Each structure stands twice: as C-alpha cells, then as structure tokens.
Amino acid sequence: MIGDVGKFRSALAAAGFGEQKDCSIFNDRRLRSGFRRLKLWFANSVFYAQQSQQWALKEHLEKEFGDRILSMYFIESCNRYPTSDNKSLCIRLKV
C-alpha cells in the first residue's frame, strides 16, 4: 500500500515533474484539526510551470486523493536567505 507522500510523488511524476531532487515532502498530521498537510518544499518548478502542467498535476492529485483534498496552495518557503524566492506547495487532506 502506498502512503500519502508516495501518492504525492506519483502525481508529480505523472504530471511531468519527474523526480523533485531538490525538494522534500513534509508530512504533518494535525490530530485536533482532523487533517494532514503535505508540503513540497522548494517547489519553484511547480510554481513557475506552465498552467497546463499545473492543471495536469491538479488532476493527478485529485485521482490519487479524491475527496480527501481540502485545499491546495503555494506559500513562501521559510529560508535562511531573505533574498531567496522559494515557493512551497501545500495540500491539506482529510485524515
């Protein structure tokens, strides 16, 4: 059985993003809130991709997670270097 991080990686690969070598996926389960957050750090390749490729990723994520998806959004990556412009992709899922 494949876990949520594996499903996220599978959707990225299916949408043409390949191996996100410079990226790592943070998995955070929030028991009180009843949701899990997956965060792809340093997701600039996704943020700056063509819209058609972003829509393909959305479709593949919906296939993998179905109605568990609560929201998907980009945030600024927390980084030691204030001049960096790194984005992270977050997905909130029902537990």
Side-chain angles (χ1 to χ4, degrees):
M1 185 171 164
I2 188 169
D4 288 341
V5 172
K7 289 179 180 181
F8 196 178
R9 290 188 191 282
S10 177
L12 285 164
F17 289 102
E19 294 181 38
Q20 297 290 307
K21 293 180 181 179
D22 296 335
C23 304
S24 60
I25 297 176
F26 178 81
N27 185 2
D28 178 24
R29 184 171 179 197
R30 309 223 173 173
L31 295 174
R32 286 187 184 175
S33 303
F35 70 87
R36 165 173 282 151
R37 180 181 65 166
L38 298 174
K39 182 163 77 169
L40 176 67
W41 285 4
F42 306 111
N44 284 356
S45 61
V46 178
F47 184 81
Y48 293 112
Q50 293 181 358
Q51 189 175 22
S52 59
Q53 193 176 15
Q54 290 176 343
W55 282 108
L57 175 60
K58 182 179 184 272
E59 287 178 20
H60 289 290
L61 287 168
E62 288 173 346
K63 284 181 191 175
E64 293 288 348
F65 296 111
D67 65 348
R68 288 183 58 208
I69 296 175
L70 296 171
S71 62
M72 293 185 278
Y73 52 92
F74 288 99
I75 61 171
E76 294 290 327
S77 291
C78 181
N79 200 333
R80 293 182 206 158
Y81 308 105
T83 59
S84 67
D85 184 28
N86 290 316
K87 309 291 186 228
S88 290
L89 172 60
C90 296
I91 301 172
R92 289 181 59 217
L93 302 170
K94 295 177 194 171
V95 177

